[in-house]
Amino acid sequence: MTTRIYFATKGLGQISEQDLQQALDCFNLGALVQFHRTAEGVMGQTLLVQTTEGEFILKGNPLYNGQFQEEQFFVEQLAARTTIPVPVPYQIQEDTELLGWSYVMMPKLPGSHLYDPVFQTTLTSQDHEEIADVLAETLAELHHWKVPDAGEYDPVADKIMPFAGSYLDWLYGSIRHWLHDAEKYSVITDDDVRWVDEQLKQSEAAFLVSSVHEFVMGDFKVENFLVQKADPPASPWKISGLFDLTTAYFGDGTADLTKITARYLREDRPDLAARFLHHYREKVCADDVEKCIHFRSRLLIHLLYQRILWWSEAKATGQVTWEADLSFAPWAKQYIEKVLTLLD
């Protein structure tokens, strides 16, 4: 799945305490105390479970065959390759008899979500700045994992399988596919298509210079990590948990910058967006001068891809929050230019 996009889920349905206790017993995780659905659980797949042995996350009813095996692979690899906390052990129960579907049990990681409004009220301006730096540093560390070929994990083969064709073929093909898919829900004019093609052509060289490809989480957003300040209070902020890794692949890590940048801008914090982008670029430039040279062009294309997906979703669901008569190209252009200005 990795790079495919899912807009729906089957959810977990109703689960009895008795069945949940049996699910816990499979991994000797103690007696059930209480459980509830997580507020921002991935597509309705997760429960927070408290037992006499601690707190755990149950993730069930996979969206596709191999979802849990894929996430387990990336969890275990990141645990071995980075200092970033991930949910290990990630234990899979493949038997579907008990709950009607396979499931995973993993430890609940400590820390707070940045989307939590109560937590937000405790943060100072300095805290926000330090957290923006930590997010940039976390991505830089994730992107240190490099492989020769762009591709995704295949749970059947149990290895990274290269994309058909080059990374550029896959990326540009995906962008064009979703642009034309948006025609089902909205008007995409010939001028829109020409403008997108022009951006792709101008940035093509930026994706042809590298002979290696890096780990890309694919969904680096506030719902998928936790932050924490260790004792004593003067200690620095850190990422205390990273999860939901089934959109990971190997390509250009710059793609991971788009969602945090967008969130900062939605919160009217261009200063934090700029800090986040600059700090990441500084970390990358220290290790990869070539990538640094083409940073702006690569970021432009990933922002364009993000805008296409957001346009399509908003049009399909009727949640358009901008001028209804604004066509795609000028709408996307004004956002992309705003972000790129932050790099100056």
Side-chain angles (χ1 to χ4, degrees):
M1 170 270 188
T2 301
T3 54
R4 296 180 180 87
I5 297 173
Y6 284 74
F7 295 106
T9 177
K10 294 170 282 188
L12 297 183
Q14 296 299 314
I15 302 175
S16 71
E17 291 187 8
Q18 181 179 357
D19 287 346
L20 185 51
Q21 181 61 63
Q22 291 183 59
L24 292 167
D25 291 342
C26 290
F27 299 112
N28 299 314
L29 295 179
L32 176 65
V33 175
Q34 61 180 349
F35 71 99
H36 61 80
R37 298 182 189 278
T38 57
E40 297 286 340
V42 55
M43 296 190 178
Q45 286 186 287
T46 54
L47 297 177
L48 173 59
V49 182
Q50 182 181 356
T51 79
T52 53
E53 294 295 316
E55 289 187 312
F56 303 90
I57 298 293
L58 178 148
K59 188 172 185 176
N61 205 3
L63 297 175
Y64 57 91
N65 292 333
Q67 178 189 358
F68 297 154
Q69 288 75 13
E70 181 178 13
E71 184 163 37
Q72 183 185 58
F73 170 81
F74 284 116
V75 164
E76 292 176 350
Q77 288 291 318
L78 292 178
R81 294 171 179 272
T82 74
T83 63
I84 302 164
V86 290
V88 288
Y90 186 99
Q91 302 179 92
I92 302 174
Q93 174 54 268
E94 297 188 16
D95 190 344
T96 61
E97 252 185 67
L98 180 59
L99 298 177
W101 26 257
S102 60
Y103 65 92
V104 170
M105 296 300 303
M106 59 186 126
K108 178 184 179 297
L109 297 169
S112 301
H113 281 288
L114 283 176
Y115 65 73
D116 183 343
V118 176
F119 176 62
Q120 282 281 335
T121 62
T122 69
L123 300 177
T124 66
S125 295
Q126 182 176 343
D127 290 332
H128 283 294
E129 292 174 355
E130 291 177 359
I131 289 171
D133 289 347
V134 167
L135 299 185
E137 291 163 8
T138 298
L139 285 179
E141 183 175 0
L142 287 174
H143 299 159
H144 275 144
W145 179 11
K146 299 182 187 296
V147 298
D149 299 308
E152 59 186 336
Y153 177 74
D154 183 334
V156 176
D158 189 25
K159 63 179 181 180
I160 303 299
M161 299 294 289
F163 293 133
S166 68
Y167 174 65
L168 185 70
D169 293 335
W170 170 81
L171 177 62
Y172 279 23
S174 298
I175 289 171
R176 290 189 170 106
H177 167 81
W178 289 110
L179 178 65
H180 290 296
D181 184 76
E183 294 174 343
K184 300 174 185 176
Y185 318 106
S186 64
V187 175
I188 299 294
T189 68
D190 291 343
D191 286 342
D192 293 332
V193 174
R194 280 192 290 270
W195 179 77
V196 170
D197 284 340
E198 183 182 347
Q199 307 315 303
L200 298 180
K201 184 177 181 180
Q202 290 179 355
S203 297
E204 187 172 311
F207 294 97
L208 296 175
V209 295
S210 179
S211 60
V212 297
H213 299 85
E214 56 215 13
F215 173 84
V216 184
M217 183 173 171
D219 200 18
F220 190 75
K221 59 183 182 181
V222 295
E223 291 83 359
N224 292 342
F225 60 79
L226 297 159
V227 296
Q228 186 180 58
K229 200 167 193 176
D231 293 328
S235 61
W237 285 95
K238 64 178 183 179
I239 290 281
S240 55
L242 184 73
F243 38 85
D244 289 348
L245 298 164
T246 50
T247 53
Y249 62 98
F250 289 88
D252 174 34
T254 314
D256 277 336
L257 300 173
T258 60
K259 292 187 177 181
I260 295 299
T261 300
R263 186 175 185 88
Y264 279 142
L265 292 179
R266 286 198 307 274
E267 294 174 343
D268 196 25
R269 293 301 307 267
D271 57 320
L272 294 179
R275 187 182 183 101
F276 168 68
L277 292 171
H278 278 274
H279 196 57
Y280 175 82
R281 185 169 61 176
E282 288 168 3
K283 300 292 287 187
V284 168
C285 287
D287 300 323
D288 190 340
V289 175
E290 201 169 63
K291 183 177 178 181
C292 182
I293 293 172
H294 297 282
F295 181 79
R296 179 184 290 266
S297 294
R298 291 185 180 209
L299 180 60
L300 183 155
I301 295 303
H302 296 303
L303 291 169
L304 173 59
Y305 192 2
Q306 178 199 58
R307 290 291 97 182
I308 291 172
L309 294 177
W310 285 21
W311 168 278
S312 184
E313 181 180 2
K315 291 289 187 176
T317 59
Q319 297 179 1
V320 176
T321 58
W322 58 89
E323 299 92 332
D325 60 345
L326 197 61
S327 64
F328 174 75
W331 173 79
K333 184 178 180 181
Q334 65 184 11
Y335 175 80
I336 292 170
E337 288 180 346
K338 182 176 183 179
V339 174
L340 295 180
T341 299
L342 299 177
L343 296 175
D344 297 335

